[in-house]
């Protein structure tokens, strides 16, 4: 009896694994076509200076317009990373984001652009060259661009990642550590890397006003950032209470639905038309 149950369980796992990998292969195939057909879009979310609440940076967030709906990166970045598609998608997002930055600048917005980089892209030493070429083509400087990397990217192969990040930082590109606090980086490791900005993961911001700790972790992270020293961005700010709490902790920058949700370039261009004095 036990044996037959075990066998059916194996058959079950085998079936579900097959289903999962079939779905992944289908998504990978559709994604390959999507890149060719130009179905990928880049939306932008403002990062504001807490003291003025003015937008100083836009973060580029990739979207896939697929079968009449807009799919978020959670649906396809993982699949892109496990195939060879992430390089192509990453380069496309960089090109679109920097092209759109040039448009925002032409409209008089004094902002820079922040782009998320996959750990896979950090294992390929062609990234600094790609970035340099794009900046030159578009007449932009390294200091116009920020690249957001996660701690996972640094754990895999910290020496290879450091070499690539050092080259980018030498071009004046700002290196941002995204989702800080949920990974495993040691402080000594962070100190070896050319990180100019830490983004506190939104799970810590969400604690403000909802748990008894009342953001004590955010204040610990802020103290640590001051010691390194690097500036910090609070991500996922949704309420006035959270905004006031992070302002009190001298968090220089913030991002979240309170200030603005990710939206297409067109939305932010209209915004600049209505707020221009
Ligand atoms: P992330 O870089 O940490 O981006 C922040 C995510 O939090 C975005 O989700 C954003 O829409 C969401 N968010 C912003 N403010 C709030 C808020 O106030 N409340 C809540 N609940 N959420 C907020 P999104 O666009 O789904 O992106 C998810 C992740 O996908 C990103 O996390 C980033 O790691 C990755 N990603 C996005 N675009 C790209 C890309 O072009 N390339 C790569 N490699 N990864 C990307
Ligand atoms: Mg990010
Ligand atoms: Mg983040
Ligand atoms: Mg995040």
């Amino acid at each position: 009896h036990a044996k037959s149950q075990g066998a059916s369980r194996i058959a079950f796992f085998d079936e579900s694994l097959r289903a999962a990998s079939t779905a992944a292969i289908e998504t990978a195939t559709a994604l390959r076509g999507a890149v060719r057909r130009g179905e990928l879009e880049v939306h932008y979310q403002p990062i504001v200076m807490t003291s003025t609440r003015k937008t100083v940076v836009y973060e580029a967030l990739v979207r896939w317009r697929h079968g009449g709906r807009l799919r978020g990166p959670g649906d396809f970045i993982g699949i892109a990373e496990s195939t060879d598609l992430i390089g192509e998608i990453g380069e496309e997002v960089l090109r679109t984001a920097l092209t759109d930055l040039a448009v925002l600048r032409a409209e008089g917005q004094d902002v820079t652009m922040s782009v998320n980089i996959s750990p896979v892209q950090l294992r390929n030493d062609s990234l600094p060259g790609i970035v340099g070429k794009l900046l030159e083509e578009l007449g932009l400087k390294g200091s116009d661009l920020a690249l957001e990397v996660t701690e996972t990217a640094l754990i895999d192969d910290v020496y290879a990642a450091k070499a690539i990040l050092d080259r980018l930082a030498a071009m004046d590109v700002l290196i941002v550590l995204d989702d800080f606090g949920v990974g495993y980086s040691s402080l000594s490791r962070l100190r070896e890397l050319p990180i100019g900005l830490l983004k506190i993961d939104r799970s810590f911001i969400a604690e403000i006003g909802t748990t008894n700790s009342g953001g004590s972790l955010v204040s610990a992270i802020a103290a640590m950032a001051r010691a390194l020293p690097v500036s910090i961005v609070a991500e996922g700010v949704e309420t006035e209470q959270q905004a006031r709490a992070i302002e009190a902790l001298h968090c220089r920058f913030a991002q979240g639905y309170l200030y603005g949700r990710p939206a297409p370039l067109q939305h932010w261009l209209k915004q600049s038309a209505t707020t221009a004095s």
Side-chain angles (χ1 to χ4, degrees), residues 7-144:
S8 67
R9 196 167 292 161
I10 288 166
F12 170 75
F13 278 128
D14 196 44
E15 247 341 286
S16 63
L17 271 180
R18 201 197 321 278
S21 60
T22 304
I25 290 165
E26 277 168 14
T27 307
T29 307
L31 194 53
R32 205 175 296 278
V35 178
R36 264 203 325 269
R37 289 187 298 270
E39 288 172 11
L40 294 186
E41 293 179 12
V42 182
H43 287 201
Y44 301 98
Q45 185 180 29
I47 295 174
V48 304
M49 182 90 91
T50 47
S51 56
T52 58
R53 296 211 182 172
K54 278 217 167 90
T55 301
V56 286
V57 186
Y58 284 99
E59 178 176 4
L61 296 161
V62 70
R63 302 287 182 260
W64 177 12
R65 197 165 290 281
H66 186 228
R69 67 189 189 101
L70 205 55
R71 297 174 75 173
D75 284 359
F76 62 91
I77 286 292
I79 286 161
E81 284 173 337
S82 59
T83 61
D84 57 347
L85 281 166
I86 192 66
E88 208 177 321
I89 291 174
E91 195 171 336
E92 191 59 32
V93 170
L94 263 171
R95 176 182 298 279
T96 304
L98 288 173
T99 304
D100 289 350
L101 173 64
V103 175
L104 288 158
R105 287 281 181 80
E107 295 286 315
Q109 292 199 40
D110 188 14
V111 292
T112 60
M113 184 58 70
S114 197
V115 178
N116 293 285
I117 294 297
S118 156
V120 178
Q121 288 173 278
L122 267 198
R123 277 189 231 125
N124 186 335
D125 64 9
S126 64
L127 185 64
I130 291 169
V131 167
K133 195 165 147 269
L134 279 173
L135 290 171
E136 197 185 300
E137 263 177 52
L138 293 160
L140 294 164
K141 302 188 301 295
S143 55
D144 295 329

Side-chain angles (χ1 to χ4, degrees), residues 175-191:
I175 307 301
V176 181
L177 189 59
D178 205 351
D179 303 336
F180 182 69
V182 294
Y184 301 94
S185 319
S186 67
L187 282 181
S188 54
R189 181 176 285 177
L190 287 187
R191 223 163 39 172

